[in-house]
Amino acid sequence: MQAVSYGDDFTLSAMGVREPLGEALDSAPNYVITPLLAADEKGGRLGYGGGYYDKYLRAHACTIRIGYAFDFQILPTVPTEENDEKLQMLVTDKRLRII
């Protein structure tokens, strides 16, 4: 996984996900908006199981980690593992929570 400057050109990945085209950034981005299935108010994030975002965030510790979801996806607790990276902010259709 690499960060690229946002542009107009996209491609479809092998999994059918739209991905931006472009040259990889030389530095870490200021923030990353992570996809999720569910999250909890302590910053735990249940992703899609590949660990790509966890690996990327671990390698870029200064990057602000933002989860973006519908409010019903925020649960009291989600299962996490030792290698899971926590979110620092949650943005939903009803609230903003800084963790």
Side-chain angles (χ1 to χ4, degrees):
M1 188 166 102
Q2 296 178 332
V4 298
S5 294
Y6 182 76
D8 295 328
D9 294 331
F10 287 84
T11 186
L12 281 180
S13 73
M15 297 182 74
V17 176
R18 285 177 38 119
E19 297 179 343
L21 294 172
E23 296 293 321
L25 295 176
D26 290 336
S27 61
N30 294 329
Y31 60 89
V32 171
I33 299 172
T34 63
L36 54 88
L37 293 172
D40 62 36
E41 295 190 9
K42 295 178 184 173
R45 174 184 156 270
L46 183 62
Y48 292 89
Y52 300 108
Y53 279 85
D54 294 312
K55 290 174 194 167
Y56 186 84
L57 293 171
R58 201 169 9 271
H60 300 89
C62 293
T63 299
I64 298 170
R65 300 119 191 257
I66 303 170
Y68 185 73
F70 289 106
D71 205 62
F72 69 83
Q73 292 173 280
I74 310 306
L75 305 173
T77 185
V78 296
T80 58
E81 297 177 354
E82 186 177 320
N83 292 330
D84 292 340
E85 294 293 317
K86 291 199 176 272
L87 299 170
Q88 296 168 301
M89 184 182 298
L90 284 168
V91 178
T92 78
D93 54 319
K94 296 184 178 179
R95 58 185 161 155
L96 166 69
R97 179 171 176 84
I98 298 174
I99 301 166

